[in-house]
Every structure is written in structure tokens, then in C-alpha cells.
Amino acid sequence: GTVLGLAAAQQLRTALQARGILLRTDLDVVGDAWPERTALPQAPAFEHQPPHAAGPRADKLAAVRAGMAHHGATHHLVSTLDDLAWLTNLRGADVDYNPVFLAHGLIGPARMTLFVAPGKIDAALAARLADDGIDLADYAGAAAALAALPADAVLLVDPKRITLGLREAVPAGVRVVEAINPSTLAKSRKTPAEAAFVRDAMARDGAAMCRFYAWLEAALGHTAISELTIDERLSAERAREDGFVSLSFPTIAGFNANGAMPHYRATPDAFAMISTPDGLVAEGLLLIDSGAQYVGGTTDITRVWPIGTPSPAQKADFTRVLRGTIALSRARFPAGTLSPHLDTLARAPLWEAGLDFGHGTGHGVGYFLNVHEGPQSISRAQPDPTMAMLPGMITSIEPGLYRDGRWGIRIENLVMNVPVGAPDEFGEFLAFETLTLCPIDTRCIDPSLLRDDERHWLNDYHAEVRRRLTPRLAGEAAALDWLAARTAPI
């Protein structure tokens, strides 16, 4: 019960009861079977500093308490790590690629208690947190604190974001309200200051990719290059950029058949060679899905590059995926539209040819936080009111197409919801601002499959990429030449 989500437990219990099966959650089977389990991570939490931490934690706590008041709650339990990192303006290194730390938070009428392992937060930072109304307690004490809530307390919990074990620690007399964490909604809407830092992070990321891809094209057929080399060289270029912290997920570099597996990852024991000093190993398509954590934002981008000359079938597939990316990128929709309702826009150009892909079209992205965050999801998920698209949200657009055993194609940009015009009798409308800055390889396009308006969108996007990245690459002749060539209009 300590690791089973409350919402999942509720669904499971209902399904099992219908079959006359009792769900027991008081046993720690894993703990008995794994006594040598690794201890909690010891890396210290650290403060996300201004100016990149664009909002004071005291203001964030006040906003969350306003959300609690909307539900009549006096207390609120927060267990999701990205919510806690956002709320406290702290970051950590307890989960690979995600700058979060293990903790729980219990927000009361006047103060918040942050349950975190001893030693994770130094004395000076603890004093600053105390000044902002946040007290520290041992990580193991969260359940006991819930058990000690006064009988007249009203506790707000998000059933999708706490465990059954913590819910069962709440005294029977305490009224519990189930609703989405106010912080989940708030952190999904980036402020204007955060959006400005994200744009800067995208430019840094784009410059790093230009340097890498310029090297890759020059090295093909002259250097030993594998899928592992791609990861090493691209990561090294990103690490050169100011504000770089880490990758935001393990790099996916999939050549030909490996690219047809959406979550493929090369390992030292299993990887494909792309090039040798004596020439190309094979011709085909190279899919690279990568991203980074910067103090001013989180990036996630997928591009596909031709190794040798792409075939007509590969060009046709690539162009249809590109049309899906363009169709959704150009969308206008009323504020409050439930994000799953937009999914069809990216699939329609593929459906026209009897094609489809088996993953979601887009996920929310955090601000120097998790590369996957909610509540919005452009997918075939069952819509619920918390998935409303609102200004400031950042989401991926990443349709794909996968030919098992042959090749995979995915074209991914991050976009931000921005208002279009002034609200009128039809309400407020939103559009997507494309944030990602990296060319889309036109050598893979079948121009006969693009409409004029789609061609204009691509040319305009490439002009913006060139405008934004050229100053970042001053003195980098090879990267500048590559950028100019890959952003030439079609």
C-alpha cells in the first residue's frame, strides 16, 4: 500500500471485489523479498536561484492555499516530486534525468511541513525555507503527521498523485476531499518570465544541435560512428552550453530498424554501426530523440536524418509525419479545449493514407523539471476537465510512423499555448508558439505531397530557426554553413 497509487488502488479494488477477491495492502512483499534494498538517495537538494526561479515560493504557497480554500480544505498533502520542487523552488538529483528530490509536503493553514531525509537540506537553506513558512521533518514522518490531524481538519488529496498507504493513515474522522493538486495546474502554466527563459534554453539547445549535426554530416563515411557515438557527441555539445545541468532523458538514437522501436535505447552490448572510416555501413534513416535540463528550461526534440539517399517510400512516410506535425502546430482552438481532442489533427494526414502510430501525440513538459508532466496530454486518453488547454502550457507535438524491421520516423517540437487576439463573444482562442529551434531535414521530403500552405509553414519555421541561431553560432563556421544549408527554403 505504501507504493500503490490511490486511484489505481480504487480501480483495482472495485475490479477485484466484483470477482470476490480481497485486496490486501498491509503486506510489504517486496521488502521481505529484497532486504538489501538500496537506501534513500543522499544527494543534497539545492535551491533554484533567481532570476531563473521566477516566482517566490511564498507566492506559490499562497496560490496553493487559495486553491485549497476553493475546496474548503484546511490541509493538503503533496507527494508528487515535481509539484514539491516547483512549490519550494528546490531541485535535486534523486531521480535520473529529473531534477527532483524525494519528499512529501503537508500544507496547513499557516505553515507547510516538508518531509525529507535528514541531511538533504543544509542549515542555511533550512533557515530560508523557515522564513517562507516551510518547516522540515524526517521523510519517514509523513504518515504519522497525517494520523495526527485534528478531527475538524479537511484534507485535500489528489488520488492520482498520492499512495493508498498515506491515505489510509488519515484518521476516520477527518473529512477528505479528492481533487487535482492546485500546484499541478499552476506549474503547467509557465509565467511570462519563465517563458522567456525557456526560449533562451531552446536557443542554447538548438546551437548545440547545429554543432553536433554539422560534425555528423562531415564525419559520415570518414569516422567510426555508432548509435552510442551519437549519444556521446550530442551530450558533449549540450554540456558546452551555459546553464546545462543534465540530459532530460536517455538519448534515443535508432538507425533503420532500431528507429522503429519508439523507446529503443542502444547499449554497449547491443547497438548499430552507422559509419566506418571506409564508408557508410548502410543507407537509411537515423532517428534521434534527445533533450536536456537547463536552469532555464527543459528540452525534448526528435529529428530524423538521411544516411545516404532516402528511398521514395521513406520520403513519403517522412512527409506524411511532417504534415501531421504542421497540422497540429498551426491549430487554433478555444481556451479550455480538452487536450485529447486535438490529437486527431496530427493523425489526419496519416489516416488519409491508411497509416497511424501507437503512442500519444504530445505530453506536457516542465520548467527545469520533469520532461513529462501533466495535466494536459494530446493523446487518445479519456478526456477529463483537468486536461483543459490554458495559456502558458508547454506540450510536445510528436506524431510518428514505424515500419517494423525497417525504419521509424518521428518529428517532435515543443510548443507553448499563447493567446490569439483579444477575447470576444466567442471567448478566448489559443495558438501554439513553436519553441524548439532545429532544422527539419528537407532531403527526406517528397515535395509533391506538401500543400503550398504547408511548404510556407516549413519555410517560415526554418527562417526563424536561422534568425535565432545564427548569432549563437558566431565563429562556428562549420555549424553556420550547416544551418544555412538545412534551413534553405523549399
Side-chain angles (χ1 to χ4, degrees), residues 310-331:
S311 69
Q314 290 169 336
K315 286 185 175 183
D317 282 354
F318 183 95
T319 306
R320 290 186 175 106
V321 173
L322 174 61
R323 291 186 63 214
T325 300
I326 293 172
L328 185 50
S329 299
R330 297 173 61 196

Side-chain angles (χ1 to χ4, degrees), residues 150-215:
D152 61 349
V154 179
L155 178 67
L156 171 64
V157 299
D158 186 336
K160 294 181 179 180
R161 295 171 175 86
I162 69 160
T163 64
L164 174 67
L166 286 175
R167 171 64 182 87
E168 290 182 333
V170 180
V174 171
R175 186 162 72 90
V176 175
V177 178
E178 294 187 359
I180 190 171
N181 288 341
S183 52
T184 299
L185 291 169
K187 73 178 171 60
S188 72
R189 302 186 63 181
K190 281 55 177 180
T191 66
E194 289 170 339
F197 287 121
V198 168
R199 294 184 187 101
D200 182 73
M202 294 291 173
R204 295 180 188 280
D205 208 55
M209 287 186 288
C210 285
R211 294 194 300 267
F212 164 75
Y213 287 121
W215 167 83

Side-chain angles (χ1 to χ4, degrees), residues 326-408:
I326 293 172
L328 185 50
S329 299
R330 297 173 61 196
R332 291 190 176 190
F333 47 92
T337 295
L338 300 185
S339 53
H341 292 163
L342 300 174
D343 182 72
T344 301
L345 296 176
R347 295 182 191 270
L350 292 159
W351 288 349
E352 289 173 2
L355 305 170
D356 202 359
F357 54 96
H359 56 72
T361 299
H363 55 83
V365 178
Y367 175 66
F368 183 35
L369 277 174
N370 294 356
V371 75
H372 284 205
E373 74 167 20
Q376 79 275 26
S377 169
I378 303 176
S379 65
R380 287 166 163 162
Q382 185 67 33
D384 70 59
T386 67
M387 295 178 175
M389 294 292 266
L390 300 170
M393 288 179 166
I394 294 178
T395 314
S396 68
I397 294 178
E398 49 181 306
L401 183 60
Y402 308 95
R403 303 282 189 180
D404 187 36
R406 289 181 282 171
W407 62 75

Side-chain angles (χ1 to χ4, degrees), residues 22-237:
L22 175 66
L23 176 65
R24 284 192 62 179
T25 60
D26 58 317
L27 305 175
D28 184 6
V29 180
V30 174
D32 293 340
W34 190 18
E36 69 280 8
R37 184 187 304 184
T38 303
L40 291 175
Q42 298 299 308
F46 59 93
E47 197 161 16
H48 191 205
Q49 297 284 358
H52 297 101
R57 53 181 156 253
D59 290 353
K60 295 178 178 180
L61 273 168
V64 169
R65 285 195 173 97
M68 293 164 54
H70 176 75
H71 294 287
T74 59
H75 294 76
H76 175 36
L77 174 67
V78 183
S79 288
T80 33
L81 305 188
D82 53 340
D83 283 277
L84 288 169
W86 175 85
L87 184 60
T88 60
N89 280 351
L90 301 180
R91 299 296 189 267
D94 289 355
V95 180
D96 289 344
Y97 308 104
N98 299 288
V100 296
F101 57 98
L102 298 184
H104 300 283
L106 183 58
I107 303 172
R111 300 191 70 79
M112 171 183 176
T113 302
L114 184 66
F115 299 92
V116 63
K120 297 282 287 186
I121 294 176
D122 64 37
L125 179 52
R128 293 194 295 274
L129 290 170
D131 289 342
D132 289 328
I134 301 174
D135 303 313
L136 302 183
D138 191 284
Y139 179 78
L146 289 171
L149 286 173
D152 61 349
V154 179
L155 178 67
L156 171 64
V157 299
D158 186 336
K160 294 181 179 180
R161 295 171 175 86
I162 69 160
T163 64
L164 174 67
L166 286 175
R167 171 64 182 87
E168 290 182 333
V170 180
V174 171
R175 186 162 72 90
V176 175
V177 178
E178 294 187 359
I180 190 171
N181 288 341
S183 52
T184 299
L185 291 169
K187 73 178 171 60
S188 72
R189 302 186 63 181
K190 281 55 177 180
T191 66
E194 289 170 339
F197 287 121
V198 168
R199 294 184 187 101
D200 182 73
M202 294 291 173
R204 295 180 188 280
D205 208 55
M209 287 186 288
C210 285
R211 294 194 300 267
F212 164 75
Y213 287 121
W215 167 83
L216 177 63
E217 289 194 15
L220 283 171
H222 308 288
T223 304
I225 301 173
S226 72
E227 293 168 335
L228 295 175
T229 311
I230 300 296
D231 186 4
E232 294 164 2
R233 291 292 301 239
L234 181 52
S235 298
E237 289 297 343

Side-chain angles (χ1 to χ4, degrees), residues 250-275:
T251 298
I252 299 170
F255 184 46
N256 282 341
N258 292 339
M261 295 180 277
H263 296 103
Y264 169 79
R265 185 182 181 188
T267 69
D269 297 324
F271 61 89
M273 289 297 299
I274 299 166
S275 165

